[in-house]
Amino acid sequence: MTTALLDLVLPPRCAGCDTPGALVCPLCAAELRGEPACRTPSPVPPGLPECWSAADYDGAVRRAIIAYKERGRTALAHSLAGALALTAGVAVGGHPVVLVPVPGTRQALRRRGHDPVARLAGLAAGYLRAAGWPATVVRAIAPRRRTADQAGLSSSQRAVNLSSAFRAVPGECAAVRGLWSGEGVVLLVDDVVTTGATLAEAARALRTAGVEAPLAVTIAATRRRYHPSGDYGE
């Protein structure tokens, strides 16, 4: 029986602290919503948009994201998307928004059976619209080639791994350029920002099609620590 199905038929346990009674308990939900703020990595990769996130990638936040992405607890998408929508609202002020999800690799999509970031972007856009905020999702980026697993790579290794890894989708980028007569803000969307290499590459792909994404929003941002290579990494 899949984890998603177990969440439906058994009493839920909090993904953040394992307390029975809810998918995310009130204390962990507050940690997940965090304090939306600009958390751009340092050093900043060339071309990286300004990065906003709801919280640090730690504790209950980290456990909830891993449970959603890697352990099949897809029902957590609503709580995670709520944090993403709140962060997007704080980041853009009163402007309409176009959410562009960063695509997963083909191998990750096959392993997980769904696109976790695209699902979060769609739900977050729905929450924003329900609050009276013009928001839409455009899947304007696609994978161009196979990449290695990013876990354990330094910032420079991640940059090399992701170089030219994404391509713009021409028709979708044309749709982005036409939305709201240029008044909308394009936001790149991902779950976690670490070194910023993924978001920098996504922004580069959009620029090749004439689309500027000045901001990126994520649920969480990692704290940096020294890497043996001399770089800073996750």
Side-chain angles (χ1 to χ4, degrees):
M1 187 177 291
T2 67
T3 306
L5 187 55
L6 287 173
D7 277 338
L8 292 175
V9 300
L10 295 179
R13 301 186 74 91
C14 175
C17 65
D18 206 37
T19 299
L23 286 171
V24 181
C25 74
L27 288 177
C28 290
E31 188 174 334
L32 187 61
R33 290 191 297 271
E35 296 182 3
C38 181
R39 293 180 174 88
T40 298
S42 178
V44 180
L48 180 68
E50 185 175 285
C51 296
W52 285 71
S53 58
D56 290 325
Y57 187 58
D58 197 10
V61 176
R62 181 178 184 274
R63 289 189 289 272
I65 292 173
I66 290 173
Y68 168 64
K69 284 181 62 178
E70 306 299 343
R71 296 175 184 164
R73 297 195 66 181
T74 54
L76 291 166
H78 294 276
S79 296
L80 297 173
L84 198 62
L86 178 62
T87 303
V90 173
V92 302
H95 294 282
V97 293
V98 182
L99 304 179
V100 178
V102 171
T105 64
R106 293 184 180 92
Q107 55 269 35
L109 295 179
R110 285 194 298 270
R111 184 178 74 250
R112 293 169 180 151
H114 71 113
D115 188 331
V117 173
R119 177 178 292 190
L120 292 178
L123 289 171
Y127 289 142
L128 289 169
R129 288 193 297 269
W133 207 304
T136 191
V137 177
V138 180
R139 300 181 73 165
I141 309 169
R144 169 176 278 160
R145 61 172 179 81
R146 189 182 182 93
T147 57
D149 188 342
Q150 296 274 84
L153 298 184
S154 69
S155 57
S156 61
Q157 289 168 334
R158 286 177 180 235
V160 170
N161 184 44
L162 288 164
S163 178
S164 300
F166 298 145
R167 63 177 178 84
V169 181
E172 299 301 305
C173 286
V176 172
R177 292 193 300 269
L179 284 167
W180 297 307
S181 302
E183 294 178 2
V185 178
V186 178
L187 303 181
L188 283 169
V189 177
D190 208 351
D191 57 341
V192 180
V193 58
T194 303
T195 66
T198 301
L199 290 167
E201 166 58 16
R204 181 210 61 79
L206 287 178
R207 282 195 297 273
T208 66
V211 174
E212 290 292 333
L215 299 173
V217 292
T218 65
I219 301 163
T222 61
R223 296 176 181 177
R224 310 295 295 285
R225 67 171 181 264
Y226 188 70
H227 192 278
S229 70
D231 269 323
Y232 284 82
E234 185 179 47

